[in-house]
Amino acid sequence: MFLKKLSLINYKNLPELEVEFCSGINCFIGQNGVGKTNLLDTVYYLAFCKSHTNNIDSQNIRHNEGFMMLSGQFLRNNIEENISVGVKKGVKKSFQRNKKEYERLADHIGLIPLVMVSPKDDVLISEGSAERRKFIDGVIAQYDKEYLNQLLEYNHALTQRNCLLRAHNLDPDLLSVSEMIMVRKADYIYKKRIEFLEEFLPIFSQYYTIVSGGKEQAGIEYRSSMQEGDLADLLAASRYKDDILGYTTKGIHKDELEMFLGEYPLKKVASQGQTKSFLVALKLAQFFFLKKSKGVTPILLLDDIFDKLDSSRVGQIVNLVSGSDFGQIFITDTNREHLDLLLETVNVDKKVFYLEEGRIV
């Protein structure tokens, strides 16, 4: 997968840009606030139909402007794909593939496999279980279209059940309709999550060992209501408790990934460097899992990748991403030394872009 050309108008603090990229490493250098992360975000947007940092489309329009446009010319398995999006305040956004508008945005997910490593990944550790489920769902949805459909239908049925609970309507016939759909969809989703994690977790462990230099061991354990028994029975048994609380307490929407450093919860014992190493290893494992499952090398976005890492861990990451297993890479940094170290070690095409005040200079 290769992004050849990017055009944008009025995206966040970027007024207007047209950039051609190389198929290897593309580096964006500049001070904080000049638009490096926003430039990466445009690539993310074209892959996932939304911003990595702000899901409200109108808030991604440059200040005092009425619209924004993005356009990317991709090469996927030697076939050109032109992806574009237009957003105008007060109007539904238009998302197109080769000048044909999508009827459902979900149909676009997976066309452009992409992995982003960002400082905002901290929420995978610091925030609640919803962030970790979002990570699992985001990976699986890129290679399994049916998974995303099943998840959307499960969430719709869950919303219906929660509406009945908030109205204190415990009519068993009404509840059973939503619960029947939830059970059927949950069986599929749980099975796919198990299959994914069985293959993914060993890859993660391998890359954490590499990034950390073998200094410590990290692990992830999966917890689900589905491990407690038949979901239909669990939902029926929890109806009165759920009625009091006003929401559904059992189901795959409560699944959790518990993260460990050694034998201890990561959140409680990890340093900033260990946390960053954990997240980088998680995303590198995602990259290689998608590469294997889709047969296409994903685009890799590395935003401020070297922050909070000591020199040895920076060196391990540089050695990894400079290998032949990677395809097109986009990197941002304020420190030219890190990028010089990387660029000296690779024998691939490379470009360096300097940004000032939302413009490439």
Side-chain angles (χ1 to χ4, degrees):
M1 179 60 66
F2 165 32
L3 173 59
K4 297 170 62 178
K5 186 176 180 179
L6 172 72
S7 302
L8 67 88
I9 300 175
N10 297 334
Y11 191 75
K12 298 186 176 180
N13 72 332
L14 303 172
E16 185 171 0
L17 287 175
E18 188 168 296
V19 198
E20 292 188 11
F21 301 115
C22 70
S23 60
I25 298 177
N26 299 270
C27 305
F28 304 121
I29 298 177
Q31 297 303 310
N32 292 327
V34 299
K36 303 185 305 297
T37 296
N38 292 340
L39 194 49
L40 284 195
D41 195 41
T42 63
V43 185
Y44 184 94
Y45 200 120
L46 290 170
F48 293 104
C49 310
K50 63 181 181 180
S51 165
H52 183 258
T53 57
N54 191 341
N55 289 336
I56 302 175
D57 286 310
S58 62
Q59 294 181 4
N60 295 316
I61 300 174
R62 189 166 179 252
H63 187 55
N64 291 330
E65 300 291 346
F67 73 99
M68 71 87 168
M69 295 181 64
L70 303 176
S71 177
Q73 187 181 80
F74 295 85
L75 200 63
R76 187 182 193 275
N77 291 334
N78 295 318
I79 299 174
E80 189 172 291
E81 297 281 359
N82 290 285
I83 307 300
S84 61
V85 58
V87 176
K88 187 175 181 180
K89 290 182 179 179
V91 180
K92 182 181 177 182
K93 71 179 172 186
S94 171
F95 205 98
Q96 297 183 352
R97 174 186 179 187
N98 299 324
K99 298 184 178 180
K100 182 178 180 181
E101 187 156 2
Y102 281 101
E103 293 183 4
R104 300 190 321 152
L105 294 181
D107 293 334
H108 178 68
I109 304 304
L111 178 71
I112 302 171
L114 180 145
V115 174
M116 183 169 188
V117 183
S118 160
K120 291 188 176 293
D121 293 335
D122 286 350
V123 298
L124 288 171
I125 297 171
S126 62
E127 299 298 323
S129 60
E131 293 295 335
R132 293 176 283 282
R133 287 192 302 274
K134 190 187 299 183
F135 171 75
I136 302 176
D137 296 337
V139 180
I140 301 175
Q142 284 198 67
Y143 68 89
D144 187 335
K145 292 279 189 187
E146 185 56 28
Y147 180 87
L148 184 56
N149 292 332
Q150 297 278 336
L151 187 64
L152 292 172
E153 291 176 17
Y154 175 91
N155 288 335
H156 181 68
L158 172 65
T159 299
Q160 290 180 321
R161 187 179 192 269
N162 286 341
C163 286
L164 291 171
L165 293 171
R166 285 193 294 272
H168 301 292
N169 185 345
L170 292 187
D171 185 320
D173 292 333
L174 290 176
L175 284 169
S176 64
V177 173
S178 297
E179 291 173 359
M180 180 176 63
I181 298 172
M182 288 175 64
V183 169
R184 189 166 65 250
K185 305 304 175 183
D187 286 340
Y188 182 93
I189 295 165
Y190 176 68
K191 178 183 176 183
K192 291 299 179 180
R193 286 178 178 176
I194 288 290
E195 290 175 356
F196 162 67
L197 289 168
E198 284 178 348
E199 189 170 351
F200 177 83
L201 293 182
I203 303 174
F204 161 76
S205 297
Q206 173 189 347
Y207 281 101
Y208 186 84
T209 299
I210 295 172
V211 173
S212 68
K215 294 178 182 178
E216 61 261 340
Q217 296 295 314
I220 300 175
E221 294 184 7
Y222 178 44
R223 299 281 183 265
S224 175
S225 298
M226 303 289 286
Q227 296 162 343
E228 301 173 18
D230 182 74
L231 182 58
D233 294 337
L234 295 174
L235 289 171
S238 66
R239 283 177 180 175
Y240 288 101
K241 175 185 175 181
D242 293 351
D243 176 54
I244 295 171
L245 296 173
Y247 61 87
T248 302
T249 57
K250 298 293 182 180
I252 52 95
H253 62 287
K254 292 292 184 179
D255 287 5
E256 172 67 289
L257 289 182
E258 296 180 355
M259 300 174 171
F260 297 93
L261 196 62
E263 299 177 355
Y264 303 98
L266 178 74
K267 188 175 182 178
K268 293 185 178 181
V269 302
S271 66
Q272 286 187 325
Q274 289 169 327
T275 298
K276 187 67 173 276
S277 298
F278 192 100
L279 293 169
V280 170
L282 200 66
K283 292 306 186 76
L284 290 176
Q286 177 187 359
F287 177 92
F288 284 102
F289 182 88
L290 286 173
K291 181 179 179 181
K292 179 181 177 181
S293 62
K294 291 191 72 66
V296 176
T297 302
I299 294 172
L300 181 62
L301 309 182
L302 303 176
D303 186 21
D304 205 12
I305 182 68
F306 303 117
D307 183 48
K308 299 184 177 66
L309 294 173
D310 58 42
S311 58
S312 65
R313 296 186 191 229
V314 168
Q316 296 291 352
I317 293 172
V318 167
N319 288 335
L320 275 172
V321 300
S322 61
S324 60
D325 291 330
F326 289 87
Q328 190 177 37
I329 302 175
F330 294 86
I331 303 178
T332 70
D333 204 353
T334 56
N335 188 335
R336 177 65 195 251
E337 294 178 7
H338 290 150
L339 297 179
D340 284 341
L341 175 63
L342 173 60
L343 297 177
E344 287 171 3
T345 63
V346 297
N347 186 27
V348 298
D349 290 341
K350 44 213 169 190
K351 279 189 175 183
V352 178
F353 302 89
Y354 293 87
L355 271 76
E356 289 182 5
E357 299 180 352
R359 290 177 169 83
I360 293 175
V361 297

